[in-house]
Amino acid sequence: MTNSTQIVTPDLCDAHPEVAVLDPLFVNFGGLEAFYGPIRTIKCFEDNSMVKQAVAEPGNGAVLVVDAGGSHRCAMLGDMLAEQAVANGWAAVVMYGCVRDVDILAALPIGVQALGSHPRKSEKRGEGQRDIDVTFAGVTLQPGQWLYADNNGIIVAAHKLPLP
């Protein structure tokens, strides 16, 4: 399931000035340039074991928000995990870190925003935390909040916003 209703974050910001706006650090890598959904979180550093675990579970249209510590030393998501996320109904992944296999990511029907790309894979030590508050890009993101993203940026709302 993908959330394909056309969203425009500037319009949402105008209509809902209470939303939080993430610092403009992210680049669109996925096949969906605009996406939204309820937030589910992971906090990990250079170990994507929890990301692999999450995308293997039903996403139900949620956005997986990964606080990877802003690392630029390895990729935390690649083509195989992104394909699994698509198959399991995730709307998107927002990665405060890097991704790889970017040409394949761009062809998949999923939103992916990240800090950059890196060819090296991450470690697999089974470390990390899920479903906790994470803070990066000037915003604290909480499970259950709603995230909206497009080429203009990423915003977070306390609840689902009405769309046009």
Side-chain angles (χ1 to χ4, degrees), residues 70-90:
S71 174
H72 284 86
R73 299 190 302 198
C74 66
M76 299 290 287
L77 179 81
D79 59 343
M80 293 190 310
L81 295 185
E83 287 169 351
Q84 195 166 21
V86 170
N88 287 320
W90 290 88

Side-chain angles (χ1 to χ4, degrees), residues 45 67-73 96-98 115:
F45 186 74
D67 179 354
S71 174
H72 284 86
R73 299 190 302 198
Y96 185 58
C98 293
L115 298 180

Side-chain angles (χ1 to χ4, degrees), residues 85-115:
V86 170
N88 287 320
W90 290 88
V93 177
V94 173
M95 180 67 66
Y96 185 58
C98 293
V99 297
R100 67 184 197 166
D101 304 314
V102 298
D103 295 331
I104 297 170
L105 296 182
L108 294 175
I110 188 169
V112 178
Q113 289 207 22
L115 298 180

Side-chain angles (χ1 to χ4, degrees), residues 125-150:
R125 299 181 302 269
E127 298 174 356
Q129 298 170 281
R130 290 183 64 181
D131 302 317
I132 63 166
D133 293 1
V134 295
T135 302
F136 57 82
V139 175
T140 297
L141 299 99
Q142 301 171 328
Q145 291 179 318
W146 281 71
L147 184 144
Y148 299 81
D150 63 10

Side-chain angles (χ1 to χ4, degrees), residues 22-38:
L22 275 68
D23 292 341
L25 308 173
F26 296 88
V27 177
N28 245 330
F29 289 100
L32 297 180
E33 292 188 347
F35 55 86
Y36 69 96

